[in-house]
């Protein structure tokens, strides 16, 4: 896009464009843990996390803002203490989800790079 | 006072019920059950009010027709005289006698009146940015309810099921820009219910609900909300839609902020459904020329909110959503309580 200057621009990287979102990973995860969708974004998990991870924002990220090449680096520092699971008012198995999401991401990465799965 | 018991026969009292929605029907049934003579008015030629246009009711998804049949069946009493197709515009109340007018014509006299004139849906054209009345594929929740009732094939385009649909919560509610500060309470659960119906009818259709707060307050509502998230995979996005526009494929492009992600968001949908709020009915009656409405909301102002239903003049009671946004069970309960209050008033005056 060039030519007209309207005095403002919307940065392409910031806007969530649901039309191009890849929701297959989210659907994949929901097949195993349906309760995951019941998140109400209360933030209990974030407030209690000793590793400073925003687990709360992983749901909307995967559901709406995920694209093939996007990684979720924050989850990498999770050491699976399970405190988030203890405080979740919706009873979501967050600890298991943390492992699951990382596994799924890794296997996608492996497929993309041609590494055979173990 | 309980000490001086009067000997009164219920059938010496004549009571008018204006309106035949859930509140009016319940009021008429209850007043007749007490034994009073009931004159029942409605501006339409058949009873039921807006219930006639609904498909399924939240949270249990009963068919509105069956609920209405159940109501009207109970209203078949020799004590209830039906005067449908009569619009009551004002009541003149003096010395315990009330005269009902339809414009200038006197249509009835009675000892007590229960006003159950209900509500209107917010006119979504006022919120121009959502494009209702401008784009063909922007509809309101009552429009969708009628479509679901009369045949959901209308939602298909060229025989193809919609790919995506979005619901906008709080259209005509909690909005100082249009002078409506109150919450209409029931649009949230309507949106949840309709979104579930869409997912059942078109399993491949993605559904997005844009909300400010989800207020699922009633019995069974929260459970339905959770089902909508977990079982039906409806995407609830916290953020108010800023504008809707039509693209060249006649699809609606919706812009909002995903406030939980703190990022602007865009999605293209086949249908945009506006969950319109409840506003005071344009057929509200006046009592002795006064409007009796709350200056803030425009709904009837209750003299004693704890008692529930008394209006400005003694002997005149309100029931149902003409006193503020109300669900069907609440309106029915309010109709029953107004009948009891009218009976108490008549026997103690």
């Amino acid at each position: 896009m060039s030519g007209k200057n309207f005095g403002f621009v919307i940065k392409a990287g910031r806007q969530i464009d649901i039309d191009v979102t890849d929701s297959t990973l989210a659907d994949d995860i929901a097949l195993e843990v349906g309760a995951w969708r019941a998140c109400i974004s209360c933030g209990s998990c974030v407030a209690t996390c000793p590793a400073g991870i925003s687990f709360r924002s992983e749901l909307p990220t995967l559901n709406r803002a995920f694209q093939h090449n996007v990684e979720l680096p924050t989850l990498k520092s999770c050491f699976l203490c399970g405190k988030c699971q203890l405080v979740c008012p919706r009873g979501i198995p967050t600890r298991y989800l943390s492992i699951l999401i990382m596994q799924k991401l890794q296997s996608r990465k492996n497929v993309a790079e041609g590494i055979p799965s173990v | 006072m309980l000490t001086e018991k009067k000997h009164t026969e219920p059938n010496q009292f004549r009571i008018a019920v204006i309106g035949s929605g859930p509140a009016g029907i319940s009021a008429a049934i209850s007043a007749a059950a007490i034994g009073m003579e009931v004159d029942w008015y409605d501006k339409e030629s058949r009873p039921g009010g807006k219930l006639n246009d609904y498909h399924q009711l939240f949270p249990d998804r009963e068919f509105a027709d069956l609920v209405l049949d159940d109501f009207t069946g109970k209203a078949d009493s020799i004590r209830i005289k039906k005067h449908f197709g009569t619009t009551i515009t004002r009541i003149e109340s003096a010395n315990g006698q009330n005269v009902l007018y339809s414009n200038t014509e006197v249509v009835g006299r009675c000892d007590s009146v229960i006003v159950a004139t209900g509500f209107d849906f917010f006119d979504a054209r006022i919120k121009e940015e959502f494009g209702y009345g401008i784009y063909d594929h922007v509809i309101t929740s009552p429009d969708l309810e009628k479509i679901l009732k009369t045949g959901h094939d209308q939602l298909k385009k060229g025989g193809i099921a919609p790919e995506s649909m979005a619901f906008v919560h709080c259209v005509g509610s909690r909005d100082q820009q249009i002078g409506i500060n109150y919450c209409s309470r029931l649009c949230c659960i309507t949106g949840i219910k309709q979104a579930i119906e869409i997912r059942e009818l078109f399993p491949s259709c993605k559904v997005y609900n844009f909300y400010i707060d989800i207020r699922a307050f009633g019995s069974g509502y929260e459970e339905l909300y959770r089902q909508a998230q977990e079982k039906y995979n409806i995407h609830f996005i916290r953020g108010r839609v800023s504008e809707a526009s039509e693209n060249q494929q006649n699809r609606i492009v919706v812009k909002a902020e995903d406030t939980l992600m703190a990022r602007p968001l865009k999605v293209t949908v086949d249908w945009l459904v506006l969950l319109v709020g409840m506003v005071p009915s344009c057929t509200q009656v006046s009592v002795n020329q006064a409007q009796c409405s709350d200056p803030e909301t425009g709904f009837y102002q209750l003299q004693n909110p704890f008692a529930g239903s008394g209006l400005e003049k003694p002997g005149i009671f309100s029931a149902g959503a003409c006193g503020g946004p109300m669900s069907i069970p609440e309106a029915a309960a309010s109709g029953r309580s107004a009948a009891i209050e009218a009976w108490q008033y008549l026997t103690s005056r």
Side-chain angles (χ1 to χ4, degrees):
Chain A
M1 287 244 291
S2 63
K4 288 234 165 69
N5 176 11
F6 291 103
F8 63 90
V9 283
I10 293 177
K11 285 182 191 162
R14 236 185 100 60
Q15 188 186 41
I16 298 171
D17 186 351
I18 297 190
D19 299 340
V20 298
T21 297
D22 170 21
S23 64
T24 51
L25 181 60
D27 294 340
D28 223 19
I29 294 163
L31 271 183
E32 279 190 52
V33 187
W36 179 51
R37 305 252 198 228
C39 173
I40 47 172
S41 292
C42 68
S44 299
C45 49
V46 187
T48 194
C49 180
I53 299 165
S54 176
F55 196 83
R56 191 272 295 161
S57 60
E58 302 301 351
L59 170 81
T61 304
L62 283 174
N63 256 337
R64 307 202 262 281
F66 186 72
Q67 277 154 35
H68 302 277
N69 51 356
V70 174
E71 288 198 15
L72 301 170
T74 59
L75 274 189
K76 281 188 178 157
S77 46
C78 172
F79 50 87
L80 306 175
C81 68
K83 279 178 88 175
C84 45
Q85 190 163 334
L86 288 177
V87 294
C88 179
R90 297 291 250 193
I92 300 168
T94 49
R95 184 173 176 275
Y96 175 60
L97 269 169
S98 185
I99 307 172
L100 192 67
I101 293 170
M102 290 312 283
Q103 277 176 346
K104 298 252 181 214
L105 279 171
Q106 189 59 48
S107 65
R108 279 181 168 230
K109 210 174 161 191
N110 290 352
V111 170
E113 290 170 7
I115 302 167
S117 54
V118 188
Chain B
M1 284 306 224
L2 288 172
T3 43
E4 45 174 299
K5 192 173 183 308
K6 287 181 189 171
H7 293 281
T8 41
E9 289 301 320
N11 64 2
Q12 74 189 62
F13 297 120
R14 181 158 280 276
I15 182 166
V17 176
I18 306 171
S20 71
I25 293 182
S26 298
I29 295 170
S30 306
I34 293 167
M36 296 189 277
E37 297 293 332
V38 181
D39 282 314
W40 195 14
Y41 299 90
D42 196 281
K43 63 177 191 290
E44 302 295 338
S45 54
R46 57 174 179 174
K50 291 190 180 54
L51 206 46
N52 283 302
D53 298 327
Y54 295 166
H55 175 54
Q56 288 181 352
L57 307 177
F58 49 77
D60 297 325
R61 313 267 305 274
E62 298 106 327
F63 284 96
D65 284 347
L66 299 179
V67 174
L68 182 56
D69 284 350
D70 187 46
F71 268 130
T72 46
K74 287 178 189 156
D76 253 340
S77 155
I78 48 159
R79 295 201 184 282
I80 302 177
K81 287 194 185 60
K82 293 166 186 157
H83 310 273
F84 294 151
T86 311
T87 308
I88 306 293
T89 52
R90 66 189 174 99
I91 304 164
E92 289 299 326
S93 174
N95 308 323
Q97 271 295 315
N98 304 288
V99 185
L100 305 178
Y101 286 87
S102 179
N103 295 318
T104 52
E105 185 194 346
V106 176
V107 290
R109 290 166 202 281
C110 57
D111 302 298
S112 179
V113 188
I114 294 174
V115 182
T117 46
F119 68 96
D120 282 347
F121 287 110
F122 172 74
D123 181 1
R125 285 171 301 186
I126 295 169
K127 294 295 288 179
E128 234 175 285
E129 59 267 41
F130 298 139
Y132 184 67
I134 302 171
Y135 308 126
D136 292 343
H137 295 106
V138 178
I139 56 175
T140 63
S141 42
D143 293 341
L144 179 61
E145 202 63 35
K146 273 181 211 164
I147 289 173
L148 291 171
K149 185 168 182 170
T150 54
H152 59 263
D153 279 350
Q154 298 164 63
L155 292 172
K156 294 181 180 171
K157 286 180 190 172
I160 300 165
E163 272 172 49
S164 56
M165 229 163 142
F167 288 81
V168 186
H169 289 238
C170 297
V171 177
S173 293
R174 308 174 70 197
D175 188 347
Q176 201 140 27
Q177 299 300 327
I178 47 170
I180 298 177
N181 295 327
Y182 58 86
C183 165
S184 286
R185 298 167 81 234
L186 298 151
C187 340
C188 275
I189 190 67
T190 306
I192 291 168
K193 186 215 69 162
Q194 291 185 338
I196 289 178
E197 284 176 281
I198 293 298
R199 289 282 295 159
E200 283 182 350
L201 291 168
F202 309 111
S204 62
C205 179
K206 287 191 168 6
V207 177
Y208 306 95
N209 281 39
F210 290 89
Y211 68 97
I212 312 177
D213 295 303
I214 290 288
R215 295 185 163 176
F217 64 95
S219 149
Y221 292 8
E222 177 65 23
E223 289 80 351
L224 200 68
Y225 174 37
R226 183 166 179 140
Q227 254 189 46
Q229 291 181 299
E230 200 175 326
K231 188 172 162 201
Y232 292 95
N233 187 16
I234 290 154
H235 298 260
F236 288 89
I237 302 173
R238 184 167 170 274
R240 207 145 187 281
V241 170
S242 66
E243 63 170 59
S245 53
E246 200 175 55
N247 68 10
Q248 288 182 326
Q249 288 78 43
N250 286 8
R251 299 182 79 211
I252 306 292
V253 181
V254 177
K255 278 188 189 170
E257 194 210 6
D258 188 331
T259 58
L260 294 173
M261 302 274 287
R263 284 170 66 182
L265 176 146
K266 178 206 117 194
V267 63
T268 312
V269 294
D270 293 307
W271 291 92
L272 183 67
V273 183
L274 310 178
L275 296 162
V276 287
M278 295 155 102
V279 296
S281 169
C282 59
T283 53
Q284 277 193 354
V285 296
S286 64
V287 179
N288 290 7
Q289 311 289 347
Q291 283 304 327
C292 334
S293 50
D294 181 297
E296 284 275 307
T297 65
F299 287 105
Y300 281 122
Q301 192 163 32
L302 303 178
Q303 291 306 299
N304 178 0
F306 297 103
S309 56
L311 277 187
E312 197 145 302
K313 280 276 167 190
I316 300 179
F317 304 90
S318 93
C322 60
M326 231 177 241
S327 70
I328 291 169
E330 284 170 339
S334 147
R336 286 192 290 274
S337 87
I340 294 286
E341 276 188 69
W343 167 242
Q344 281 172 338
Y345 158 79
L346 290 169
T347 49
S348 64
R349 68 178 175 171

